[in-house]
Amino acid sequence: MHFLSFTHIVFIQLALPAVLHGAKWTYSGPEGEHHWPKHYPYCGGSFQSPIDIKSELLRFDPTLRPIEIQNYNLSPTEQLTLGNNGHSVQISLPSKMYISSLPHRYTAAQLHFHWGSSSRPAGSEHMVNSRQYAAEMHVVHFNSDKYPNMSMAVDKSDGLAVLGVLIEVGEFNPAFEHFLRFINGIKYRDQRVQVPGFNIRALLPARLDEYFRYDGSLTTPPCYPSVLWTLFRNHVTISRKQFLALSTTLYSTHAQDSAPMPLNGNFRKLQLTDSRVVLVSFKEGRGLQGTLTVTSPLTRKQIVQQLLVGDLADLADEGLYKLLPSGSEKLHAGKKKDLKNQQTVAKSKQQMLSPSLWKKSQTNRSVGKLWLAEDALCYVSLEHRVFHQLKQSHAENQLVQALRDVTFPELNLKSYLDCKSDLALPTIRHLLRGRPTDEAFELDRSLTKALMNKKHITPAIKKSVPVTNYGGFSPATVSRKPHSQGYPHPWLLPMEWED
Ligand SMILES: *[C@@H]1O[C@H](CO)[C@@H](O)[C@H](O)[C@H]1NC(C)=O
Ligand SMILES: *[C@@H]1O[C@H](CO)[C@@H](O)[C@H](O)[C@H]1NC(C)=O
Ligand SMILES: [Zn+2]
């Protein structure tokens, strides 16, 4: 995902201090992606893209409709701008093109590509079950119901929707010739040519009803977490010759530059999944047996409500296993006799919380109101506010990590309530902070004890996961470890098995 278009560069230079300081960015070298967060803090923040779409992250969502697009069939009399912006090749799209199947109208702005190199034809950004494809196309749309243009939408949590298409080398693809035949005219950075319009739909796979959906970010600076991602399940192909045209023709440097740099390998590395789940619109086919179905909104709210106002001592004694990752139930098998049949716990469609756990949930405490407010948190405004607060007290090198630690729980909760992630431990702690100490302490102790017994936490994983200390809990580092048994880091067991 790459949103800089030629017209938006002006806005960025006015709005972003990073660019005022002349921050450029590349995919490797001293300005490479490890250094992006220095000038673009969101690149080190939460809910980043791309991710590896693994089976265990998938949740079938029966409400996901086929993608519907309007006015994608452009006439040859309409001129499109094909350009090289130094990071990608990009085609501007007319504003009559839009997605009509999402809750808002998302108007098309541009499409662009990410690709590997001739020696390594693997350059997609997203991976599916750790498989990287040769290239990936992003068709970028902005929420035109709510925002007047791309610039205003780009940093809003509901600002962008991107259609992602995985590209493999194989059959020749005539649709790609509509722009590849002009690519010699844009060899160098900032060059652009006008090309006749064509049917943009032909660049997409045949089936628009099968896709992966998750909440993520721009994959290039400034990495705003503002993208509703739709990655089509089925890839398209281009011929080897077409792939070579894309990967060997262009330069990331200007024509007059004495040290020309080839433009290839322009993909970002995989990002942490941050407890996110990936919704799928389909459930047939290889590897999808046992795919969980999304939790009902009611159940999600009940769980949060229980954390907010329920009896935590009860939760610690009886319901603890529900807060732990899959497999942890075994630790408490001795305590809970009805857990004999471990494997079927997740299969049962029983009420998540027993009546006894609910007896004290009926009390109405104001803390619940705060968290269950219907207003959507805006990722960016939240990160922005926290960033400036932290700036007072943190050195620059601690800032990005601190930003993650502080904002992640709130983003995770919002995402959980929207059914876009599992509830992670830092978030549970965050919720518990407002609780009476003795109750929280009880749960704290049980959680800590259970976590101590938890194995398979590799140092590498530990290092990459931010540790936030909310009160007395420790250790804090389990949520992103994939579990060999069951499904990954479901802190709760809110999912139902599909039969
Ligand atoms: C986008 O819209 C805003 C608000 O109407 C306006 O101030 C700004 O100039 C527009 N930007 C572009 C690039 O058109
Ligand atoms: C909870 O309290 C709020 C005001 O503090 C009130 O509007 C709401 O109706 C109450 N809900 C219940 C279930 O008592
Ligand atoms: Zn992109």
Side-chain angles (χ1 to χ4, degrees), residues 186-210:
I186 56 159
K187 275 177 175 294
Y188 298 100
R189 183 177 191 140
D190 293 341
Q191 290 184 332
R192 66 199 75 167
V193 295
Q194 297 298 110
V195 304
F198 59 99
N199 189 358
I200 306 294
R201 169 67 180 88
L203 298 174
L204 305 177
R207 295 195 65 154
L208 302 185
D209 59 330
E210 296 189 335

mmCIF file of all heavy atoms in Angstrom, residues 186-210:
data_model
loop_
_atom_site.group_PDB
_atom_site.id
_atom_site.type_symbol
_atom_site.label_atom_id
_atom_site.label_comp_id
_atom_site.label_asym_id
_atom_site.label_seq_id
_atom_site.Cartn_x
_atom_site.Cartn_y
_atom_site.Cartn_z
ATOM 1 N N ILE A 186 8.611 5.889 -18.401
ATOM 2 C CA ILE A 186 8.685 6.355 -17.004
ATOM 3 C C ILE A 186 9.807 5.644 -16.259
ATOM 4 O O ILE A 186 9.684 5.318 -15.087
ATOM 5 C CB ILE A 186 7.338 6.136 -16.259
ATOM 6 C CG1 ILE A 186 6.921 4.649 -16.316
ATOM 7 C CG2 ILE A 186 6.245 7.020 -16.842
ATOM 8 C CD1 ILE A 186 5.935 4.265 -15.218
ATOM 9 N N LYS A 187 10.921 5.465 -16.960
ATOM 10 C CA LYS A 187 12.062 4.761 -16.348
ATOM 11 C C LYS A 187 12.519 5.424 -15.057
ATOM 12 O O LYS A 187 12.930 4.755 -14.124
ATOM 13 C CB LYS A 187 13.245 4.754 -17.311
ATOM 14 C CG LYS A 187 13.234 3.644 -18.337
ATOM 15 C CD LYS A 187 14.438 3.832 -19.269
ATOM 16 C CE LYS A 187 14.577 2.688 -20.249
ATOM 17 N NZ LYS A 187 14.901 1.419 -19.594
ATOM 18 N N TYR A 188 12.482 6.743 -15.031
ATOM 19 C CA TYR A 188 13.103 7.450 -13.916
ATOM 20 C C TYR A 188 12.076 8.110 -13.006
ATOM 21 O O TYR A 188 10.960 8.423 -13.426
ATOM 22 C CB TYR A 188 14.101 8.483 -14.445
ATOM 23 C CG TYR A 188 15.221 7.823 -15.209
ATOM 24 C CD1 TYR A 188 15.205 7.803 -16.606
ATOM 25 C CD2 TYR A 188 16.258 7.173 -14.532
ATOM 26 C CE1 TYR A 188 16.214 7.160 -17.311
ATOM 27 C CE2 TYR A 188 17.266 6.534 -15.232
ATOM 28 C CZ TYR A 188 17.248 6.520 -16.615
ATOM 29 O OH TYR A 188 18.236 5.878 -17.300
ATOM 30 N N ARG A 189 12.502 8.322 -11.793
ATOM 31 C CA ARG A 189 11.675 8.924 -10.760
ATOM 32 C C ARG A 189 11.044 10.239 -11.239
ATOM 33 O O ARG A 189 11.696 11.058 -11.876
ATOM 34 C CB ARG A 189 12.543 9.191 -9.536
ATOM 35 C CG ARG A 189 11.773 9.756 -8.380
ATOM 36 C CD ARG A 189 12.659 9.936 -7.166
ATOM 37 N NE ARG A 189 11.812 10.224 -6.032
ATOM 38 C CZ ARG A 189 11.983 9.735 -4.808
ATOM 39 N NH1 ARG A 189 13.004 8.943 -4.563
ATOM 40 N NH2 ARG A 189 11.163 10.033 -3.839
ATOM 41 N N ASP A 190 9.786 10.413 -10.896
ATOM 42 C CA ASP A 190 9.000 11.610 -11.204
ATOM 43 C C ASP A 190 8.646 11.757 -12.679
ATOM 44 O O ASP A 190 8.079 12.779 -13.073
ATOM 45 C CB ASP A 190 9.686 12.889 -10.701
ATOM 46 C CG ASP A 190 9.742 12.931 -9.177
ATOM 47 O OD1 ASP A 190 8.963 12.188 -8.532
ATOM 48 O OD2 ASP A 190 10.570 13.683 -8.628
ATOM 49 N N GLN A 191 8.951 10.759 -13.490
ATOM 50 C CA GLN A 191 8.487 10.796 -14.878
ATOM 51 C C GLN A 191 7.050 10.276 -14.927
ATOM 52 O O GLN A 191 6.662 9.412 -14.140
ATOM 53 C CB GLN A 191 9.395 9.944 -15.777
ATOM 54 C CG GLN A 191 10.777 10.559 -15.966
ATOM 55 C CD GLN A 191 11.641 9.773 -16.935
ATOM 56 O OE1 GLN A 191 11.478 8.563 -17.087
ATOM 57 N NE2 GLN A 191 12.581 10.463 -17.574
ATOM 58 N N ARG A 192 6.288 10.804 -15.845
ATOM 59 C CA ARG A 192 4.922 10.326 -16.002
ATOM 60 C C ARG A 192 4.474 10.488 -17.447
ATOM 61 O O ARG A 192 4.984 11.353 -18.153
ATOM 62 C CB ARG A 192 3.973 11.063 -15.050
ATOM 63 C CG ARG A 192 3.802 12.528 -15.329
ATOM 64 C CD ARG A 192 3.261 13.281 -14.138
ATOM 65 N NE ARG A 192 4.302 13.471 -13.123
ATOM 66 C CZ ARG A 192 4.189 14.307 -12.086
ATOM 67 N NH1 ARG A 192 3.092 14.982 -11.883
ATOM 68 N NH2 ARG A 192 5.180 14.442 -11.235
ATOM 69 N N VAL A 193 3.554 9.624 -17.835
ATOM 70 C CA VAL A 193 2.984 9.708 -19.188
ATOM 71 C C VAL A 193 1.475 9.524 -19.087
ATOM 72 O O VAL A 193 0.967 8.966 -18.108
ATOM 73 C CB VAL A 193 3.566 8.613 -20.133
ATOM 74 C CG1 VAL A 193 5.057 8.830 -20.369
ATOM 75 C CG2 VAL A 193 3.306 7.211 -19.571
ATOM 76 N N GLN A 194 0.761 10.007 -20.103
ATOM 77 C CA GLN A 194 -0.676 9.783 -20.171
ATOM 78 C C GLN A 194 -0.929 8.494 -20.942
ATOM 79 O O GLN A 194 -0.313 8.252 -21.989
ATOM 80 C CB GLN A 194 -1.355 10.958 -20.890
ATOM 81 C CG GLN A 194 -1.210 12.299 -20.174
ATOM 82 C CD GLN A 194 -1.856 12.274 -18.789
ATOM 83 O OE1 GLN A 194 -1.169 12.312 -17.775
ATOM 84 N NE2 GLN A 194 -3.177 12.202 -18.758
ATOM 85 N N VAL A 195 -1.811 7.666 -20.411
ATOM 86 C CA VAL A 195 -2.149 6.417 -21.115
ATOM 87 C C VAL A 195 -3.665 6.324 -21.259
ATOM 88 O O VAL A 195 -4.405 6.851 -20.419
ATOM 89 C CB VAL A 195 -1.599 5.171 -20.364
ATOM 90 C CG1 VAL A 195 -0.092 5.288 -20.162
ATOM 91 C CG2 VAL A 195 -2.300 4.956 -19.030
ATOM 92 N N PRO A 196 -4.135 5.670 -22.342
ATOM 93 C CA PRO A 196 -5.587 5.548 -22.537
ATOM 94 C C PRO A 196 -6.227 4.682 -21.457
ATOM 95 O O PRO A 196 -5.602 3.722 -20.980
ATOM 96 C CB PRO A 196 -5.712 4.858 -23.905
ATOM 97 C CG PRO A 196 -4.353 4.851 -24.513
ATOM 98 C CD PRO A 196 -3.363 5.019 -23.412
ATOM 99 N N GLY A 197 -7.435 5.025 -21.070
ATOM 100 C CA GLY A 197 -8.158 4.226 -20.083
ATOM 101 C C GLY A 197 -8.402 2.805 -20.590
ATOM 102 O O GLY A 197 -8.387 2.542 -21.780
ATOM 103 N N PHE A 198 -8.621 1.884 -19.657
ATOM 104 C CA PHE A 198 -8.929 0.496 -20.012
ATOM 105 C C PHE A 198 -9.773 -0.102 -18.896
ATOM 106 O O PHE A 198 -10.090 0.583 -17.907
ATOM 107 C CB PHE A 198 -7.640 -0.315 -20.252
ATOM 108 C CG PHE A 198 -6.704 -0.351 -19.062
ATOM 109 C CD1 PHE A 198 -6.694 -1.461 -18.196
ATOM 110 C CD2 PHE A 198 -5.831 0.699 -18.796
ATOM 111 C CE1 PHE A 198 -5.833 -1.513 -17.114
ATOM 112 C CE2 PHE A 198 -4.963 0.657 -17.702
ATOM 113 C CZ PHE A 198 -4.963 -0.447 -16.860
ATOM 114 N N ASN A 199 -10.159 -1.346 -19.050
ATOM 115 C CA ASN A 199 -11.009 -1.971 -18.032
ATOM 116 C C ASN A 199 -10.160 -2.405 -16.827
ATOM 117 O O ASN A 199 -9.511 -3.447 -16.857
ATOM 118 C CB ASN A 199 -11.769 -3.149 -18.627
ATOM 119 C CG ASN A 199 -12.826 -3.666 -17.645
ATOM 120 O OD1 ASN A 199 -12.949 -3.157 -16.520
ATOM 121 N ND2 ASN A 199 -13.601 -4.662 -18.073
ATOM 122 N N ILE A 200 -10.207 -1.614 -15.763
ATOM 123 C CA ILE A 200 -9.406 -1.889 -14.562
ATOM 124 C C ILE A 200 -9.860 -3.194 -13.905
ATOM 125 O O ILE A 200 -9.077 -3.899 -13.277
ATOM 126 C CB ILE A 200 -9.509 -0.710 -13.559
ATOM 127 C CG1 ILE A 200 -9.132 0.621 -14.218
ATOM 128 C CG2 ILE A 200 -8.652 -0.966 -12.326
ATOM 129 C CD1 ILE A 200 -7.689 0.749 -14.646
ATOM 130 N N ARG A 201 -11.130 -3.522 -14.079
ATOM 131 C CA ARG A 201 -11.660 -4.788 -13.538
ATOM 132 C C ARG A 201 -10.848 -5.982 -14.011
ATOM 133 O O ARG A 201 -10.675 -6.969 -13.286
ATOM 134 C CB ARG A 201 -13.131 -4.940 -13.963
ATOM 135 C CG ARG A 201 -13.763 -6.304 -13.725
ATOM 136 C CD ARG A 201 -13.885 -6.587 -12.229
ATOM 137 N NE ARG A 201 -14.486 -7.875 -11.941
ATOM 138 C CZ ARG A 201 -13.820 -9.023 -11.827
ATOM 139 N NH1 ARG A 201 -12.513 -9.044 -12.023
ATOM 140 N NH2 ARG A 201 -14.450 -10.142 -11.529
ATOM 141 N N ALA A 202 -10.296 -5.886 -15.232
ATOM 142 C CA ALA A 202 -9.547 -7.008 -15.813
ATOM 143 C C ALA A 202 -8.228 -7.267 -15.074
ATOM 144 O O ALA A 202 -7.608 -8.313 -15.260
ATOM 145 C CB ALA A 202 -9.280 -6.753 -17.294
ATOM 146 N N LEU A 203 -7.799 -6.318 -14.237
ATOM 147 C CA LEU A 203 -6.583 -6.530 -13.442
ATOM 148 C C LEU A 203 -6.878 -7.346 -12.181
ATOM 149 O O LEU A 203 -5.964 -7.814 -11.512
ATOM 150 C CB LEU A 203 -5.970 -5.181 -13.032
ATOM 151 C CG LEU A 203 -5.494 -4.258 -14.157
ATOM 152 C CD1 LEU A 203 -5.047 -2.911 -13.578
ATOM 153 C CD2 LEU A 203 -4.362 -4.900 -14.949
ATOM 154 N N LEU A 204 -8.165 -7.473 -11.845
ATOM 155 C CA LEU A 204 -8.560 -8.186 -10.622
ATOM 156 C C LEU A 204 -8.833 -9.655 -10.941
ATOM 157 O O LEU A 204 -9.099 -10.002 -12.099
ATOM 158 C CB LEU A 204 -9.824 -7.552 -10.021
ATOM 159 C CG LEU A 204 -9.792 -6.056 -9.724
ATOM 160 C CD1 LEU A 204 -11.157 -5.600 -9.201
ATOM 161 C CD2 LEU A 204 -8.697 -5.735 -8.722
ATOM 162 N N PRO A 205 -8.788 -10.525 -9.931
ATOM 163 C CA PRO A 205 -9.136 -11.926 -10.193
ATOM 164 C C PRO A 205 -10.617 -12.060 -10.551
ATOM 165 O O PRO A 205 -11.418 -11.155 -10.289
ATOM 166 C CB PRO A 205 -8.827 -12.623 -8.859
ATOM 167 C CG PRO A 205 -8.743 -11.551 -7.842
ATOM 168 C CD PRO A 205 -8.397 -10.283 -8.547
ATOM 169 N N ALA A 206 -10.958 -13.197 -11.146
ATOM 170 C CA ALA A 206 -12.339 -13.404 -11.591
ATOM 171 C C ALA A 206 -13.321 -13.332 -10.432
ATOM 172 O O ALA A 206 -14.381 -12.714 -10.540
ATOM 173 C CB ALA A 206 -12.446 -14.750 -12.305
ATOM 174 N N ARG A 207 -12.964 -13.952 -9.319
ATOM 175 C CA ARG A 207 -13.905 -14.015 -8.190
ATOM 176 C C ARG A 207 -13.648 -12.880 -7.206
ATOM 177 O O ARG A 207 -12.563 -12.787 -6.621
ATOM 178 C CB ARG A 207 -13.763 -15.362 -7.462
ATOM 179 C CG ARG A 207 -14.181 -16.541 -8.330
ATOM 180 C CD ARG A 207 -14.366 -17.762 -7.470
ATOM 181 N NE ARG A 207 -15.476 -17.613 -6.531
ATOM 182 C CZ ARG A 207 -16.162 -18.642 -6.045
ATOM 183 N NH1 ARG A 207 -15.860 -19.876 -6.404
ATOM 184 N NH2 ARG A 207 -17.144 -18.429 -5.188
ATOM 185 N N LEU A 208 -14.667 -12.058 -7.012
ATOM 186 C CA LEU A 208 -14.548 -10.957 -6.059
ATOM 187 C C LEU A 208 -15.270 -11.268 -4.747
ATOM 188 O O LEU A 208 -15.364 -10.422 -3.858
ATOM 189 C CB LEU A 208 -15.108 -9.661 -6.663
ATOM 190 C CG LEU A 208 -14.452 -9.191 -7.966
ATOM 191 C CD1 LEU A 208 -15.009 -7.841 -8.388
ATOM 192 C CD2 LEU A 208 -12.932 -9.125 -7.833
ATOM 193 N N ASP A 209 -15.790 -12.489 -4.650
ATOM 194 C CA ASP A 209 -16.529 -12.848 -3.430
ATOM 195 C C ASP A 209 -15.647 -13.579 -2.420
ATOM 196 O O ASP A 209 -16.052 -13.766 -1.284
ATOM 197 C CB ASP A 209 -17.741 -13.718 -3.792
ATOM 198 C CG ASP A 209 -17.341 -15.003 -4.502
ATOM 199 O OD1 ASP A 209 -16.300 -15.000 -5.211
ATOM 200 O OD2 ASP A 209 -18.045 -16.027 -4.358
ATOM 201 N N GLU A 210 -14.447 -13.974 -2.835
ATOM 202 C CA GLU A 210 -13.572 -14.705 -1.915
ATOM 203 C C GLU A 210 -12.373 -13.849 -1.544
ATOM 204 O O GLU A 210 -11.522 -13.562 -2.397
ATOM 205 C CB GLU A 210 -13.096 -16.009 -2.564
ATOM 206 C CG GLU A 210 -14.230 -16.968 -2.856
ATOM 207 C CD GLU A 210 -13.733 -18.342 -3.294
ATOM 208 O OE1 GLU A 210 -12.607 -18.444 -3.823
ATOM 209 O OE2 GLU A 210 -14.488 -19.313 -3.107
#
